[in-house]
Amino acid sequence: MHIHPLERKWIYLVLVVIGLFLAAIFYTALVRNIHPPSHLETIDSASLHLSKEFAEDKLGVWTEPDGTIKVTVVAARYGFYPREIQLPAGTPVTFRIASADVLHGIHIPMTNMGTMVVPGYVSEITTTFPKPGEYPMLCNEYCGLGHDHMWSKVTVVA
Ligand code: CUA
């Protein structure tokens, strides 16, 4: 079978591009160990209130013994709990988020803070707030009629 030389060139080019995509996927997953932040660990969404980390009295901002700041958040129709948190500027903060019901998203504009919150999984993401101010923490996955009103307030202080 005869293949036109130009066509052959394009076939090779396409194969190279596919190879580059696959290499990028395998490199980030296997060598750099980078995975989506929403599929780190599993958790039972129906019994968050009984869990060590996501029980009602455990939610909010924690300073770990080594000085790192951790925030535990539950996303549930239609809000993030706690509704208001206060954090320091210029310090890395690790959020751990679990959904009590359906798929939600969590997003803080002007930061890298954005991940899906998949029921049954814990999402974890670390961010630093460069400037003091008030930031909205929004849901960016449609989760029902109250989706538009699903947000909490983050106050960043110097
Ligand atoms: Cu929660 Cu949209």
Side-chain angles (χ1 to χ4, degrees), residues 9-65:
K9 248 187 220 163
W10 279 103
I11 291 172
Y12 288 141
L13 187 68
V14 166
L15 290 176
V16 167
V17 169
I18 291 172
L20 284 175
F21 279 136
L22 289 176
I25 290 170
F26 283 110
Y27 176 71
T28 51
L30 301 176
V31 182
R32 299 285 311 278
N33 201 27
I34 298 172
H35 302 284
S38 51
H39 294 76
L40 287 176
E41 325 158 19
T42 55
I43 193 164
D44 179 10
S45 289
S47 59
L48 288 182
H49 59 293
L50 302 175
S51 74
K52 270 198 213 114
E53 197 178 357
F54 294 99
E56 224 168 310
D57 57 332
K58 308 268 178 24
L59 300 180
V61 184
W62 297 88
T63 306
E64 298 286 295

Side-chain angles (χ1 to χ4, degrees), residues 78 103-105 139-143 147 150:
Y78 294 101
L103 175 70
H104 298 280
C139 181
N140 64 1
E141 293 283 346
Y142 183 74
C143 51
H147 164 74
M150 181 162 172

Side-chain angles (χ1 to χ4, degrees), residues 48-107:
L48 288 182
H49 59 293
L50 302 175
S51 74
K52 270 198 213 114
E53 197 178 357
F54 294 99
E56 224 168 310
D57 57 332
K58 308 268 178 24
L59 300 180
V61 184
W62 297 88
T63 306
E64 298 286 295
D66 64 357
T68 57
I69 298 174
K70 198 177 99 176
V71 187
T72 44
V73 175
V74 164
R77 286 189 289 189
Y78 294 101
F80 295 103
Y81 303 94
R83 303 310 308 260
E84 287 194 41
I85 51 174
Q86 203 181 79
L87 292 168
T91 310
V93 177
T94 299
F95 284 84
R96 289 180 47 86
I97 313 126
S99 167
D101 40 46
V102 298
L103 175 70
H104 298 280
I106 190 166
H107 173 57

